[in-house]
């Protein structure tokens, strides 16, 4: 019986690229441990650990968390996963972090979700939420049943251009939906530009090492089969064997 080596993978993609959906499917089908830097940060800040308090101090000042803090946080978690296949999400984000990771373990593959920024902007700016319940709507894919005119702008009569801005209503409570600041067009553009500037060197770093595997497309459901086929060359699909507990 051939024992497959453990998989050490990284997934990269801009906000709104479908990274969360793809990661969840990888977990379900291949039983990997998913380590998200964002989740880990939030957990440490909530528990008020030493690293969590330090990280929060930078966030509160609107600053990026320094490489050495993120590296310390992630590497300490990775050490506890040495018996498992794992997928890193949100780390490394800089070349310095990637180099520090290389000193601790050998990365096998980096999955890059190459989704056009215009597609992402349409996805994110169409997202509205019901604050009390957390229900999320997308005006394109899963719109609320009722939308109401919120304000009138650029409106004129006699057949000239008219424009209405709509606000959705929660299907269950009838309460108005809101758009998070992060999902407003101007914020989305800034986030995508920041991601591009920060991660381009990291993608190039892994490309030079021959580890980068890019998957291009505009729809997650069309990108996923290609990622699935790629990972099947490295890991067996465990979802049929252990459907109740794919982790």
């Amino acid at each position: 019986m051939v024992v497959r080596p453990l998989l050490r993978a990284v997934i990269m993609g801009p906000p709104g690229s479908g990274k969360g959906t793809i990661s969840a499917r990888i977990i379900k089908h291949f039983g990997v441990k998913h380590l998200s830097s964002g989740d880990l940060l939030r957990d440490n800040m909530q528990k008020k650990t030493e690293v969590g308090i330090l990280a929060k101090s930078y966030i509160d000042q609107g600053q990026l968390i320094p490489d050495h803090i993120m590296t310390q946080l992630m590497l300490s978690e990775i050490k506890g996963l040495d018996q498992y296949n794992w997928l890193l999400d949100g780390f490394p984000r800089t070349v310095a972090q990637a180099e520090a990771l290389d000193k601790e373990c050998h990365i096998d593959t980096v999955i890059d979700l190459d989704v056009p920024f215009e597609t992402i902007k349409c996805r994110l700016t169409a997202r509205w939420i019901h604050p009390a319940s957390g229900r999320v709507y997308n005006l394109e894919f899963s719109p609320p049943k009722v939308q109401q005119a919120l304000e009138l702008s650029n409106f004129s009569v006699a057949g000239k251009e008219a424009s209405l801005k709509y606000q959705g209503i929660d299907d269950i409570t009838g309460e108005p939906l809101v758009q998070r600041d992060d999902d407003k067009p101007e914020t989305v553009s800034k986030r995508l530009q920041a991601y591009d500037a920060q991660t381009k060197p990291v993608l190039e770093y892994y490309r030079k090492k021959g580890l980068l595997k890019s998957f291009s497309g505009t729809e997650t459901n069309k990108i996923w089969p290609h990622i699935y086929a790629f990972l099947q060359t490295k890991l067996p699909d465990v979802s049929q064997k252990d459907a109740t507990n794919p982790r």
Side-chain angles (χ1 to χ4, degrees), residues 73-116:
L73 184 67
M74 293 298 287
L75 291 185
S76 63
E77 286 292 314
I78 289 170
K79 284 175 184 174
L81 299 177
D82 57 346
Q83 300 299 313
Y84 299 93
N85 298 302
W86 47 247
L87 177 70
L88 300 185
D89 180 352
F91 180 89
R93 278 195 176 162
T94 67
V95 172
Q97 291 176 10
E99 289 171 343
L101 180 61
D102 276 349
K103 289 175 184 175
E104 295 297 324
C105 54
H106 172 74
I107 296 298
D108 301 303
T109 190
V110 177
I111 296 167
D112 170 43
L113 303 182
D114 181 22
V115 180

Side-chain angles (χ1 to χ4, degrees), residues 4-22:
R4 295 191 191 220
L6 291 170
L7 181 70
R8 275 52 184 124
V10 175
I11 186 166
M12 297 185 70
S17 62
K19 190 155 56 78
T21 301
I22 294 291

Side-chain angles (χ1 to χ4, degrees), residues 121-220:
K121 283 173 73 173
C122 289
R123 280 183 192 174
L124 294 184
T125 56
R127 187 164 62 183
W128 291 71
I129 65 167
H130 178 241
S133 66
R135 280 186 286 277
V136 178
Y137 297 86
N138 187 293
L139 299 185
E140 292 186 20
F141 307 118
S142 54
K145 293 173 184 173
V146 178
Q147 295 183 50
Q148 67 179 12
L150 185 62
E151 63 184 36
L152 224 54
S153 60
N154 303 327
F155 188 81
S156 59
V157 291
K160 293 186 179 179
E161 185 178 349
S163 173
L164 283 171
K165 184 176 180 181
Y166 285 93
Q167 178 184 41
I169 301 296
D170 181 51
D171 291 348
I172 295 173
T173 65
E175 294 170 347
L177 304 178
V178 301
Q179 191 169 43
R180 298 186 319 163
D181 287 341
D182 276 359
D183 294 336
K184 291 176 179 176
E186 59 277 14
T187 311
V188 168
S189 292
K190 286 179 184 174
R191 287 170 70 200
L192 292 175
Q193 287 166 8
Y195 174 86
D196 194 43
Q198 188 180 42
T199 57
K200 251 186 184 173
V202 182
L203 293 173
E204 190 57 32
Y205 175 84
Y206 284 122
R207 185 179 286 112
K208 286 178 180 176
K209 285 176 168 284
L211 299 177
L212 191 69
K213 186 73 176 175
S214 290
F215 296 89
S216 302
T218 58
E219 296 177 42
T220 300

